[in-house]
Amino acid sequence: MSVDRKSTAKVDYLKDIEAQMQKRWAKNKTFETDSVPPGSAEAKKEKFFVTFPYPYMNGRLHLGHTFTISKAEFAMGYHRLKGKRCLFPFGLHCTGMPIKACADKLKREMNDYGFPPKFPEEGEKEESKQLKSKVAAKTGGLTYQWEIMQALELEDEEIKKFADSEYWLQYFPPLTKSDLQSMGLKVDWRRTFVTTDVNPFYDSFVRWHFWTLKAGGKVKFGKRFTIFSPKDGQPCMDHDRQTGENVFLVAATLRPETMYGQTNCWVHPDIKYIAFESNIKDEVYISTRRAARNMSFQGFTPEQGVVNELLELTGQDIMGIPLNAPLTIHSVVYTLAMLTIKEDKDAPDDYVALRDVKNKKAFREKYGITDEMVLPYEPIPIIRVPGYGDLSAAKACDDLKIKSQNDKDLLTEAKELTYKKGFYEGTIIVGEYAGQKVQDVKKLVQKKMIDSGEARIYMEPERKVISRSADECVVALCDQWYLDYGDESYSDETRRNFEATLDWMQEHACSRSYGLGTRLPWDEQYLIESLSDSTIYNAYYTVVHLLQQGPFDGSAGGPLGIRAEQMTPKVWDYVFFKDVPYPETDIPAEKLK
């Protein structure tokens, strides 16, 4: 049976033209752009600069890269046709954890399963075998790093080399350049480099950058909260007891000002909780084991990362116990049962749950909750919200006709309606801050509770974070160098921009101890993390073609014959800063100019 195939002659003809043009561009150095003498006719032309966030070199570029790069490429072509002096450099990013993590994973797989690895049956599913042959699903369904590398059509002997993280830096950058050249990118390829200390010129540039930040007082040291993998030890960072100990059921909240409205403490009768030793004398905490693990990395326990469990219990074991709750008007509140609590995130719908417990006597009897533990307790008005009155949750539930805790979608809608409106428009109507806006009071209440010893700062990942070593991460207090974006000396305009978009980065950790990159020059046990080492890399594009050419790692040097060790901080100052005296250097003056 014959198949009618359309001729590819037209496509082949166009591709041949494309190849011819690309050869001509390379021969004529069409896209190589140099600085020109000030005042010259060429210098008077309008300029256009294109940059693309340098892609990460842990694989080949994919269709998403192509789509995004095409926008820069089309703009470049358009402005060249308009007669502008155009420049499009292209760097290749290797700093950070992914390459190192993948290399280490290959080492572990060879160590655990031999060479070539013979994986357990779950790694040999037929689905995975089929996926290996599909370019569009190169990593889908594949359990092991070795399988992922096989899906890239690499032979076992080649894959073995990737256990050395530096091999990634040799293998993928040339392929990236080749692919982009095939696309016809109008790039000045002299201005291409890889990052990390493999490239001594870029390494020198980043070290100078951080010396400059430190000299300006913008880099500080201290313990910061950071996502942390206990297994990796990296940020992503029988005791006799005396009588009379204080036992705390530690409850987490993002809204300290709502503590005025406490009527009870919710626990799930079937969830396992633990009592564990805190780092405060005579204080024992009760929480889920997961939360205790997080707390142990934040200075809540005597030893970092160690939870000394004293007792395991269920929620039923602590059901109905009397508690002293901070700020509430009640001298005693009780633990009550809520069945919708989740161990990984506790987001109870308080009003509806309290209403359910009050209305269902059989439910109370099942969990040993007496009438006096719940019936006298009514919702406490603490925040007045425009349009919702003094009990916004109750009104929202009534308006939406929420009948029970099972109306999950309606409860979500109610929370969305009341939470934001209450925070941004609500006014506190109880306590010493009565009459003030909720958003202005939140930090004041937090400080009040901390100062009185009734609260401590606790952090959790916003959602579950799994490290590349398959460890569930926590938030830990780690020794860190960090960039002080909260410095009061920044201009008003800069401050407004930071407050609007970067509030979460106020003290951004700029160091880690695992991965690839540049060592922090004054404390080389730390690496500069990958976001921080790439904040001013576009400046490096202006000089890279003079310092290095040929191999991306700068090993062949550049046309000026300057060595990486000659690029001292004083030399970089002279190159990039105005009104800086000529440095003490053996680099000829004309080369620096």
Side-chain angles (χ1 to χ4, degrees):
M1 174 177 169
S2 62
V3 178
D4 182 21
R5 299 183 185 277
K6 290 185 178 180
S7 170
T8 61
K10 184 179 288 187
V11 173
D12 292 341
Y13 174 68
L14 293 173
K15 289 174 71 176
D16 183 60
I17 293 175
E18 179 183 49
Q20 290 181 44
M21 292 303 99
Q22 289 175 3
K23 286 181 181 177
R24 181 182 298 181
W25 292 340
K27 180 180 179 181
N28 296 339
K29 302 181 179 180
T30 303
F31 306 126
E32 293 184 4
T33 305
D34 292 311
S35 58
V36 293
S40 65
E42 193 70 11
K44 292 177 182 177
K45 287 185 179 180
E46 190 175 349
K47 303 179 184 68
F48 186 76
F49 176 76
V50 174
T51 185
F52 179 84
Y54 45 20
Y56 198 71
M57 292 293 98
N58 62 339
R60 301 287 288 268
L61 298 190
H62 52 70
L63 194 59
H65 287 113
T66 308
F67 174 73
T68 307
I69 290 170
S70 69
K71 300 174 185 298
E73 165 63 14
F74 295 161
M76 179 70 172
Y78 172 79
H79 288 283
R80 279 184 57 83
L81 291 172
K82 296 279 286 185
K84 298 178 183 178
R85 283 173 47 77
C86 297
L87 177 61
F88 189 177
F90 206 97
L92 306 168
H93 201 204
C94 305
T95 302
M97 295 178 65
I99 288 175
K100 176 67 172 167
C102 290
D104 289 350
K105 194 175 180 185
L106 286 174
K107 289 178 188 175
R108 288 196 299 271
E109 289 173 3
M110 284 191 288
N111 183 60
D112 293 344
Y113 303 113
F115 173 78
K118 301 295 183 185
F119 298 118
E121 289 185 6
E122 61 266 26
E124 295 293 332
K125 294 184 294 185
E126 187 61 31
E127 178 187 3
S128 292
K129 293 178 182 177
Q130 293 172 2
L131 285 171
K132 291 174 187 177
S133 63
K134 296 181 181 180
V135 175
K138 284 183 177 176
T139 61
L142 301 182
T143 305
Y144 299 99
Q145 185 65 37
W146 199 276
E147 292 180 311
I148 294 171
M149 305 306 285
Q150 286 178 322
L152 298 175
E153 300 180 359
L154 296 170
E155 298 296 329
D156 287 342
E157 286 295 335
E158 185 80 39
I159 296 173
K160 186 178 181 180
K161 299 175 184 177
F162 285 89
D164 178 357
S165 56
E166 289 194 11
Y167 188 70
W168 297 69
L169 281 58
Q170 302 167 23
Y171 185 85
F172 286 113
L175 293 175
T176 299
K177 179 181 177 182
S178 176
D179 289 343
L180 293 176
Q181 284 178 315
S182 296
M183 184 181 169
L185 231 60
K186 300 173 181 63
V187 163
D188 184 346
W189 288 109
R190 300 172 304 163
R191 302 175 191 257
T192 302
F193 57 90
V194 295
T195 63
T196 79
D197 54 8
V198 163
N199 181 346
F201 291 100
Y202 188 74
D203 187 63
S204 169
F205 173 76
V206 173
R207 291 168 71 91
W208 161 72
H209 176 198
F210 270 75
W211 275 124
T212 304
L213 287 171
K214 190 169 188 294
K218 306 303 181 189
V219 187
K220 299 178 180 178
F221 187 79
K223 285 190 179 294
R224 317 305 313 157
F225 286 109
T226 185
I227 298 293
F228 186 83
S229 167
K231 180 178 178 180
D232 296 336
Q234 303 290 337
C236 173
M237 243 216 30
D238 311 292
H239 291 282
D240 292 328
R241 307 301 304 175
Q242 65 180 57
T243 58
E245 291 171 324
N246 296 306
V247 179
F248 292 84
L249 272 66
V250 285
T253 180
L254 296 172
R255 298 287 301 274
E257 73 281 2
T258 62
M259 293 296 97
Y260 290 106
Q262 293 178 91
T263 58
N264 60 276
C265 174
W266 298 114
V267 295
H268 193 299
D270 300 324
I271 281 180
K272 285 185 170 59
Y273 298 87
I274 62 169
F276 64 97
E277 180 186 13
S278 82
N279 67 333
I280 297 177
K281 183 177 173 58
D282 300 337
E283 290 190 0
V284 171
Y285 294 166
I286 294 177
S287 73
T288 62
R289 186 172 275 107
R290 177 183 177 277
R293 180 172 181 256
N294 253 286
M295 283 186 267
S296 73
F297 286 93
Q298 297 177 35
F300 283 70
T301 56
E303 185 178 348
Q304 173 86 344
V306 176
V307 177
N308 178 34
E309 294 187 19
L310 307 175
L311 178 70
E312 181 182 86
L313 32 78
T314 65
Q316 184 60 59
D317 295 327
I318 53 175
M319 194 68 66
I321 62 173
L323 303 171
N324 177 17
L327 300 185
T328 182
I329 60 173
H330 297 295
S331 58
V332 175
V333 299
Y334 295 88
T335 51
L336 303 180
M338 179 187 278
L339 303 182
T340 57
I341 293 174
K342 296 180 181 179
E343 185 173 359
D344 58 344
K345 286 290 180 186
D346 184 0
D349 304 308
D350 296 354
Y351 170 71
V352 175
L354 180 62
R355 189 180 66 184
D356 285 355
V357 176
K358 289 170 74 74
N359 293 340
K360 297 175 180 178
K361 185 174 180 64
F363 181 85
R364 298 199 300 273
E365 290 176 348
K366 178 179 179 180
Y367 294 108
I369 299 170
T370 64
D371 289 353
E372 58 266 25
M373 294 177 186
V374 62
L375 295 183
Y377 295 88
E378 295 294 335
I380 303 171
I382 60 171
I383 297 174
R384 181 165 296 148
V385 181
Y388 285 84
D390 297 349
L391 289 172
S392 59
K395 177 170 172 46
C397 290
D398 291 342
D399 290 350
L400 294 170
K401 296 179 171 56
I402 296 173
K403 297 177 180 179
S404 74
Q405 299 172 63
N406 296 323
D407 297 331
K408 295 180 181 178
D409 292 341
L410 290 175
L411 281 169
T412 298
E413 184 178 349
K415 283 187 287 188
E416 289 175 352
L417 282 171
T418 59
Y419 189 93
K420 290 183 180 178
K421 196 171 182 67
F423 182 76
Y424 290 107
E425 301 180 36
T427 303
I428 291 286
I429 58 175
V430 297
E432 61 188 283
Y433 303 113
Q436 298 186 45
K437 289 288 187 182
V438 170
Q439 59 182 320
D440 298 330
V441 163
K442 179 176 180 176
K443 290 291 185 183
L444 298 175
V445 177
Q446 180 190 81
K447 184 177 186 303
K448 173 184 173 68
M449 294 173 67
I450 292 171
D451 290 347
S452 67
E454 295 176 302
R456 300 177 71 171
I457 296 293
Y458 170 70
M459 301 283 186
E460 270 204 357
E462 186 175 356
R463 58 187 65 84
K464 182 179 283 191
V465 179
I466 303 297
S467 72
R468 290 175 182 267
S469 60
D471 184 31
E472 182 176 350
C473 293
V474 299
V475 175
L477 264 179
C478 299
D479 285 332
Q480 293 249 314
W481 289 98
Y482 59 93
L483 292 169
D484 188 9
Y485 285 118
D487 193 314
E488 294 293 334
S489 65
Y490 286 109
S491 70
D492 289 342
E493 181 181 0
T494 303
R495 173 156 293 282
R496 282 195 297 272
N497 290 334
F498 275 132
E499 288 175 347
T501 60
L502 296 175
D503 183 58
W504 63 277
M505 280 183 65
Q506 180 154 318
E507 290 176 340
H508 176 72
C510 62
S511 66
R512 61 160 53 102
S513 53
Y514 178 83
L516 304 180
T518 289
R519 294 281 166 186
L520 204 59
W522 60 85
D523 193 352
E524 297 205 356
Q525 66 175 310
Y526 293 104
L527 287 159
I528 296 169
E529 64 89 30
S530 55
L531 177 63
S532 301
D533 90 335
S534 55
T535 54
I536 63 165
Y537 72 93
N538 285 302
Y540 188 65
Y541 283 142
T542 65
V543 297
V544 58
H545 65 302
L546 302 173
L547 294 173
Q548 60 172 94
Q549 281 183 27
F552 301 122
D553 61 6
S555 57
L560 293 184
I562 295 174
R563 303 184 309 279
E565 61 268 21
Q566 292 176 296
M567 296 302 296
T568 64
K570 293 294 185 184
V571 169
W572 285 114
D573 285 350
Y574 180 76
V575 171
F576 280 107
F577 294 154
K578 293 181 178 179
D579 305 320
V580 171
Y582 193 81
E584 217 178 280
T585 180
D586 56 357
I587 301 174
E590 66 272 12
K591 292 185 177 183
L592 282 192
K593 289 178 181 178

